[in-house]
Amino acid sequence: MAVAAVHGSACQTASDSRDYRGDMRRLVQDLGAYARTLQPGFLVIPQNGHELLTHSGEPSDTIVGEYVAAIDGMGREDLFYGYDADDVPTPADERDRMAAFMDLAETNGVQILVTDYCSTAVYVIDSYVQSSQRGYISFAADHRELDNVPAYPAQPFGVHGGDVARLDSARNFLYLINPDAFGSREAYLNAVRGTDYDLLIVDAFYNDTVLAAPDVASLKTKSGGGSRFVIAYMSIGEAEDYRYYWQDSWTVDPPSWLAGENPNWPGNYKVRYWDAEWRAIIFGNDGSYLKRILDAGFDGVYLDIIDAYEYFE
């Protein structure tokens, strides 16, 4: 779906002096504060955007304490596999730079969740072992679309029947946010219920309907016994034209906060995430995206497109 030209240069010229990284940190911090007011202990896990951890964006610099205190975990894609292409080892220089940030986060009490994109058996096992050796939790996704439960390995890495009461006690996770291949809502839920992962990252919606609280509650027990966390995926750096909040009129008269379409993911559009109107869509009121997630009983949120600041910089 094409959107009309979006107020481009005027807005960007007016915003040239913005602290785009600071704006993203504030969004995550404010979102977390709102959620924990309503649900103490609610988990906030941004994905990528690891340079937000420090003042200069270098792993040798001091951390931004307010931001680090606001997050419980941090996701990182392609750390060991998938950076240049799926099922290809990540170049050593890129891996080591990212890992320096991941280690910094772990040192400051932030649990790392790694998603590698690989399908060759030896790469899958190596991905899990490398993460485990560093104290990270990981998932080896054999589909970039995150639309399946991988057949290999047959059981999650480090599988166990105990309860998962803290994020840092999880040994593995499943990242499955596209349920289209399952054919029906119940088939999708049954497939996820039937897994033994310690933590689930799933979309809060099936088609256009948010998962009901009983559905979410039913996902919180592993198939082999023991409790687990169920985390809702939510993009805060892009608007998605298949979400409930999208208005058809935006195709010809887009709001001022809507920016360019992501060429790799049609239907996803960068947003001026500091804008009050976008922030109100995401959190802070009873009609917001986050309030729907809270009402459904999720244990936390997995925040995507944290690195949207790169687009505006």
Side-chain angles (χ1 to χ4, degrees):
M1 180 183 295
V3 172
V6 186
H7 312 280
S9 58
C11 284
Q12 282 194 296
T13 300
S15 305
D16 280 346
S17 61
R18 294 200 70 93
D19 177 8
Y20 296 110
R21 300 185 187 205
D23 286 333
M24 182 56 80
R25 292 189 193 101
R26 281 185 287 276
L27 176 56
V28 173
Q29 291 164 202
D30 293 349
L31 182 154
Y34 168 78
R36 290 166 183 143
T37 297
L38 299 176
Q39 185 175 318
F42 191 76
L43 299 171
V44 176
I45 308 171
Q47 175 175 260
N48 302 332
H50 50 268
E51 293 173 339
L52 298 180
L53 289 170
T54 66
H55 290 279
S56 67
E58 293 297 327
S60 58
D61 196 11
T62 55
I63 64 166
V64 182
E66 298 88 349
Y67 179 70
V68 172
I71 62 177
D72 301 280
M74 186 171 69
R76 178 63 246 178
E77 294 180 290
D78 310 317
L79 182 60
F80 300 113
Y81 292 91
Y83 189 85
D84 287 331
D86 291 356
D87 211 37
V88 175
T90 294
D93 58 340
E94 298 291 352
R95 178 201 65 206
D96 292 347
R97 175 174 170 77
M98 292 188 288
F101 282 101
M102 303 305 105
D103 292 342
L104 178 65
E106 288 266 347
T107 299
N108 285 277
V110 176
Q111 178 62 57
I112 297 302
L113 286 74
V114 171
T115 302
D116 279 331
Y117 295 96
C118 52
S119 54
T120 300
V122 66
Y123 289 167
V124 169
I125 295 304
D126 183 61
S127 168
Y128 282 118
V129 169
Q130 288 202 63
S131 280
S132 179
Q133 288 174 342
R134 290 177 173 268
Y136 311 155
I137 311 166
S138 65
F139 175 61
D142 59 5
H143 290 186
R144 174 71 64 165
E145 296 78 8
L146 299 170
D147 61 356
N148 70 317
V149 179
Y152 182 82
Q155 290 293 324
F157 182 86
V159 65
H160 65 102
D163 292 338
V164 178
R166 303 190 323 270
L167 184 58
D168 62 6
S169 67
R171 300 178 190 174
N172 51 66
F173 70 96
L174 172 68
Y175 193 0
L176 200 171
I177 57 173
N178 182 350
D180 292 348
F182 291 89
S184 72
R185 180 173 168 277
E186 199 57 31
Y188 161 64
L189 290 171
N190 283 338
V192 178
R193 289 181 189 120
T195 68
D196 249 347
Y197 291 93
D198 284 352
L199 182 147
L200 305 176
I201 300 171
V202 298
D203 202 286
F205 290 77
Y206 183 85
N207 290 336
D208 297 327
T209 304
V210 69
L211 295 179
D215 294 330
V216 176
S218 75
L219 299 177
K220 293 188 178 186
T221 302
K222 294 182 284 185
S223 64
S227 63
R228 63 181 168 196
F229 290 123
V230 182
I231 309 295
Y233 171 91
M234 182 169 68
S235 175
I236 64 172
E238 288 183 346
E240 300 154 313
D241 69 5
Y242 49 87
R243 296 296 182 187
Y244 72 91
Y245 56 72
W246 186 268
Q247 299 179 29
D248 290 341
S249 62
W250 293 352
T251 60
V252 293
D253 185 23
S256 61
W257 48 263
L258 193 65
E261 185 173 16
N262 185 334
N264 298 317
W265 296 97
N268 291 19
Y269 299 85
K270 288 294 189 295
V271 295
R272 296 179 172 86
Y273 48 84
W274 56 89
D275 186 276
E277 186 175 335
W278 172 249
R279 284 168 59 100
I281 289 172
I282 292 300
F283 78 99
N285 58 82
D286 286 346
S288 66
Y289 197 153
L290 184 57
K291 186 60 163 60
R292 287 169 164 82
I293 288 171
L294 288 160
D295 289 345
F298 285 94
D299 297 305
V301 281
Y302 197 70
L303 303 175
D304 201 10
I305 320 299
I306 297 299
D307 52 6
Y309 59 83
E310 296 175 353
Y311 173 86
F312 293 99
E313 288 178 346

